[in-house]
Amino acid sequence: MLNRLRPALAKVVTPIGRTLARTGVTPNMITVTGTAGVAAGALLFYPRGELFWGTVAITAFVFFDMFDGAVARVTGKTGTWGAFLDSTMDRVGDAAIFAGLILWFTGAGDDAPLAWLALFCLVAGVVISYAKARAEGLGLKCDVGIAERSERLIISLVAAGLHGLGVPYALHVGLSLLAVLSTVTVAQRFHTVHQQSSAGQVAS
């Protein structure tokens, strides 16, 4: 859904990408640094219950990670390795966020329902990403879904941040909503792939 905003976002990100490119920073360096920052923020702050500051740290590195594509475009350093690295690092960052929440809720946070919700969202996110990758590997299109990575990331971070500020049931509502939207997205992708495979369609 948020993919529709990419053209407008590119107008803001591209000039910053040009500036970063002049420093000699490569797209892959940005990708790895962004992921390392997200993982560090999630695994250092969340397990200690510091959800607000953890979310601030994660969000900062998520924004930083947005510039890898811009730098790649302005330097002409786009390619399969960069695309593979970016996608794989996204999975690492997502896993770290939910792992941090699970560690808190199974530890001092002592909230089993939220731990299970976080675990469900983690697994659902993996299935969503794998379904698309596997479908495209088979020559099929699978770019549908009400909750792609951007939407899932926003919901989880906003919920965690509000919970850290003491807003009652913020994570309960956020993770429940994310679980529902992720389930719908998985169903949408399964349905889309099933339709194409049944009709014998193969993307050219």
Side-chain angles (χ1 to χ4, degrees):
M1 294 174 67
L2 292 178
N3 285 338
R4 297 174 184 175
L5 299 177
R6 284 189 175 181
L9 188 61
K11 295 179 180 179
V12 178
V13 173
T14 300
I16 300 175
R18 290 196 185 96
T19 302
L20 287 172
R22 294 192 193 103
T23 68
V25 173
T26 67
N28 292 343
M29 288 168 61
I30 294 175
T31 298
V32 173
T33 301
T35 300
V38 168
L43 297 176
L44 289 176
F45 288 99
Y46 280 1
R48 296 188 294 179
E50 299 177 13
L51 302 191
F52 175 74
W53 291 113
T55 298
V56 170
I58 292 167
T59 302
F61 280 102
V62 166
F63 278 115
F64 178 73
D65 188 49
M66 291 170 57
F67 300 119
D68 58 356
V71 173
R73 286 190 296 274
V74 299
T75 60
K77 294 181 179 178
T78 58
T80 54
W81 167 245
F84 169 82
L85 182 66
D86 184 57
S87 181
T88 304
M89 290 296 100
D90 283 347
R91 306 291 81 75
V92 173
D94 294 348
I97 291 171
F98 288 105
L101 290 174
I102 292 169
L103 287 172
W104 167 243
F105 292 124
T106 55
D110 192 26
D111 195 322
L114 279 181
W116 281 105
L117 266 177
L119 179 60
F120 180 89
C121 291
L122 170 59
V123 174
V126 172
V127 174
I128 289 171
S129 299
Y130 179 78
K132 181 177 181 178
R134 182 60 177 147
E136 291 179 346
L138 294 171
L140 302 172
K141 292 183 179 179
C142 189
D143 53 1
V144 299
I146 192 173
E148 296 187 275
R149 184 179 184 254
S150 298
E151 290 86 355
R152 299 197 306 273
L153 198 57
I154 289 172
I155 293 172
S156 58
L157 291 179
V158 169
L162 290 177
H163 185 92
L165 289 174
V167 177
Y169 302 108
L171 262 176
H172 293 78
V173 173
L175 291 183
S176 296
L177 174 63
L178 183 57
V180 171
L181 295 180
S182 295
T183 301
V184 171
T185 302
V186 169
Q188 287 177 306
R189 294 196 168 180
F190 272 55
H191 176 68
T192 296
V193 172
H194 182 263
Q195 280 189 317
Q196 293 177 71
S197 60
S198 297
Q201 297 178 6
V202 178
S204 58

